[in-house]
Amino acid sequence: MTPASAEASTAVETHALQVPLEKIATETYVPLAKPSLIGLSRAQIAEKLGSIGVKPAQQKMRSQQIWHWLYYRGVQSFAEMSSISKDMRVELEQHFTVDRPEVAVEQISNDGTRKWLLKLPSGTHGERAHEVECVYIPETDRGTLCVSSQVGCTLNCSFCHTGTQRLVRNLTPGEIVGQIMVARDRLNDWADRDTPNANRRITNIVMMGMGEPLYNFDAVRDALLIVSDNEGIGISRRRITLSTSGVVPNIKRTGEEIGVMLAISLHAVRDELRNELVPLNKKYPLKELLQACRDYPGASNARRITFEYVMLKGINDSLEDAKLLVKMLKGIHAKINLIPFNPWPGTRYECSDWAQIEAFSEYVFNAGYSSPVRTPRGRDILAACGQLKSETEKLSARERQALRAMAMTD
Ligand code: SAH
Ligand code: SF4
């Protein structure tokens, strides 16, 4: 090896070291001294009751009651659980809480979108309080809540703002369910005795906030099973969509163990480009990803897989790309969701021109695919896709201003 090529290969290696395929969490969850019951299944609640001396014969009934108060009625204290004896409530209060994340900041966009910066319950030594973002998007026929699965993200997609920050840690089931509970608290969206079946404001959930849900599989599964349980929060699995950048081994498990709708962050139709935009593609290339979609348990014409495609000017937005896209989705029950790129300071990408997005969408539509363009929502409060970034890696005031200005200009 010549000195020059040795230097070049060192540079490549250094670069490879700088941009690892996957990041390692810098922290792990430290259980609270007084744990919250939010995020526990019926069986886990029963187990907790056992740990404070509730007799086995009583555990099942008591855990059903607690489940109902927590997830159906949304109470915020044990004192409100009126069907449980006073002594028992005092006992519960001494050992547990019903805490959910705390709203640190609430922002309401001029289009009605709401973004909450949520402080996760903490307080024990060894862990700093972390924050995640959660966004509510009201539309005429539905209300969608965009939920986070990690503080930061394991992956590093080059067009995503969250991808540029470190992975702090996975969220627990309680912290995931807790986001939905806080949103219901703030929107006054719990069923009460008078309006058990009234229309709820949150009708749909999308796991499209910060983080890669399939790199936190168990917690996301446990949380979504609670959220979709009919005797509790009761949001149907058909109204819950999990978005993944393509963690192939966990796609089948998602269908089998959770049974929710699937969205794939595709963004490119050639491996070479996808390796750059979604580096995880080097580990799970397009062919394997598409096969996992073909095999997705429960996919059908009525339950299509959504393919998300961010429109990047001059990068992936040609009609040639549209043609390849249509070709590659043959045989998959698919719909396509085109997302105008939301810029952030320091990004090397630009959003495609509107005429190009329309031409791309028309091509895909004429080939028989539904291809709505996702209207950016809440841009003025930095709530749009890819703009979420927790305070763990704070933006400077100037950066924030620049981001807001960029997001508002097109
Ligand atoms: N990590 C998961 C889910 C969260 S991201 C995933 O990648 O699927 C939700 C969607 O927003 C993904 O399709 C993601 O690719 C897209 N996205 C990320 N950054 C974006 C940006 N700056 N502009 C538009 N969409 C973006
Ligand atoms: Fe993570 Fe999704 Fe952003 Fe990729 S697009 S870095 S997987 S949040």
Side-chain angles (χ1 to χ4, degrees), residues 23 150 152-164 208-213 243-246 265 267 277-280 386:
K23 299 171 210 159
Q150 298 182 311
C153 183
T154 313
L155 300 171
N156 43 28
C157 303
S158 55
F159 58 90
C160 172
H161 205 205
T162 312
T164 63
M208 293 187 188
M210 293 166 59
E212 168 49 60
S243 174
T244 177
S245 56
S265 294
H267 309 316
L277 299 178
V278 185
L280 184 70

Side-chain angles (χ1 to χ4, degrees), residues 19 21 155-159 212 214 243-248 251 262-293 305-310 312 315-316 321 324-325 328-329 348-349:
V19 187
L21 261 193
L155 300 171
N156 43 28
C157 303
S158 55
F159 58 90
E212 168 49 60
L214 296 192
S243 174
T244 177
S245 56
V247 184
V248 167
I251 288 180
L262 182 68
I264 301 286
S265 294
L266 189 68
H267 309 316
V269 289
R270 284 167 284 114
D271 278 318
E272 198 188 358
L273 177 60
R274 197 162 189 273
N275 286 346
E276 208 180 295
L277 299 178
V278 185
L280 184 70
N281 192 70
K282 293 179 203 153
K283 191 164 174 182
Y284 305 117
L286 281 168
K287 196 161 170 245
E288 286 177 33
L289 177 59
L290 293 168
Q291 192 54 46
C293 293
I305 298 173
T306 303
F307 287 86
E308 298 161 279
Y309 197 94
V310 65
L312 302 170
I315 303 279
N316 65 354
D321 289 303
L324 274 174
L325 176 61
M328 89 186 322
L329 294 184
R348 57 191 135 121
Y349 301 108

